[in-house]
Amino acid sequence: MQIGELARQTGCEVETIRYYEREGLLPAPARSASGYRRYEPGHVEQLNFIRHCRSLGMSLADIRQLADYHRHPAPEPCDRVNALIDDQIRRVHSQIETLQQLERQLLALRGRCHSPHTLADCGILKTLEDASSGEPCACHPPATGKKIAG
Amino acid sequence: MQIGELARQTGCEVETIRYYEREGLLPAPARSASGYRRYEPGHVEQLNFIRHCRSLGMSLADIRQLADYHRHPAPEPCDRVNALIDDQIRRVHSQIETLQQLERQLLALRGRCHSPHTLADCGILKTLEDASSGEPCACHPPATGKKIAG
DNA sequence: GCACACCCTGTAGCTACTATAGGGTCAAGC
DNA sequence: GCTTGACCCTATAGTAGCTACAGGGTGTGC
């Protein structure tokens, strides 16, 4: 099949497929006399593998590793596969925690301006301004030993 | 002060300061006879303002807006400031939800391989392989109407 | 006159694509 | 035989927010 058909079957953009080939994620297919890429059914699965891993937030470098393990299922232990997934879980978890803290900070900042104000009176701008001068701000309370609410 | 001193006072890299200037976030300072940038104390505050907003995850485009409002506190209402923060809160919140779903999927995938296996027997690789062939996988359970556990 | 810390501009790199520009191929229809 | 249109090709630049060079100039102390 041609690249357009592969794209349709996998829901992946044509440009992305060519990009994966350049990046060594998808093996280069045979070419027709006129230089068109000719894919086999196996390519559909390989591309699905990549897209599935991407949907799990994995980096292309990690996927390259996983795809290699998948293509060459040696009798060695699969510790590295597990470690790779564990790392990904840790990364995602720490991103969640960072974003949750961010959300709390943003909500605190947002709480500084409710009723209609002018720009000159906006509690949000005032808070940001004070913070720029080194004053303590609502959004970044001193976290040294003290609980936020308790 | 020179750019290095501004960098020290704000904890911001010299290259980043020049980058902010290029991007129109930080006003271009005066120059010495030999072309060195000469910053005033006001620049410290403006850079702190930018860094503070960045620490809240805001985009440079949004910060450019906020900094403009801050520099020109007109008597117009501050609705746009509030809307900007609200949008940021929404963005962060939806990122959190996406990542939480990702985490659940990764944990489900991880659960397919516990004891020591070989690469050929790895439940994680198997799961990814099956998913590539269109079979239902542990990490992406069908969410159409059915609850995962219940 | 040299070493060294600092400064300058300009450009390339990072991730994972996406979007062009500028061209070739192929089948159908007239 | 010619055109039209869908498809394909390569190469390059753009996205966000920096970071890291290369290749050079400046300023101060010894």
Side-chain angles (χ1 to χ4, degrees), chain B residues 114-136:
Chain B
H114 280 310
S115 41
H117 286 300
T118 64
L119 278 176
D121 284 335
C122 177
I124 291 175
L125 283 179
K126 265 197 177 26
T127 303
L128 291 172
E129 184 181 335
D130 290 350
S132 314
S133 319
E135 291 175 41

Side-chain angles (χ1 to χ4, degrees), chain B residues 31-83:
Chain B
R31 297 280 184 138
S32 75
S34 54
Y36 287 16
R37 290 172 178 81
R38 315 245 55 146
Y39 293 97
E40 307 300 321
H43 282 105
V44 177
E45 286 190 26
Q46 292 189 64
L47 184 49
N48 276 336
F49 185 97
I50 296 170
R51 297 305 287 174
H52 189 87
C53 291
R54 281 296 297 142
S55 82
L56 291 167
M58 295 184 210
S59 71
L60 295 190
D62 280 359
I63 297 173
R64 201 177 287 119
Q65 274 284 316
L66 277 180
D68 272 358
Y69 290 144
H70 181 224
R71 272 198 283 268
H72 312 292
E76 27 175 327
C78 63
D79 306 2
R80 285 190 204 158
V81 173
N82 296 11

Side-chain angles (χ1 to χ4, degrees), chain A residues 10-12 16 20 46-60 62-63 66 85 88 92 95, chain B residues 95 97-107 109 127-128 131-132 135 137-141:
Chain A
T10 57
C12 184
T16 306
Y20 287 160
Q46 292 190 62
L47 185 49
N48 276 336
F49 186 95
I50 296 169
R51 296 306 287 173
H52 189 88
C53 291
R54 281 295 297 140
S55 83
L56 290 168
M58 295 185 210
S59 71
L60 295 190
D62 281 359
I63 297 172
L66 277 181
I85 304 292
Q88 177 67 10
V92 168
Q95 276 177 38
Chain B
Q95 277 177 41
E97 288 186 338
T98 302
L99 286 171
Q100 280 173 339
Q101 197 191 345
L102 225 58
E103 190 180 24
R104 283 193 297 272
Q105 292 167 350
L106 282 164
L107 288 170
L109 179 64
T127 303
L128 291 172
S132 314
E135 291 175 41
C137 52
C139 37
H140 290 88

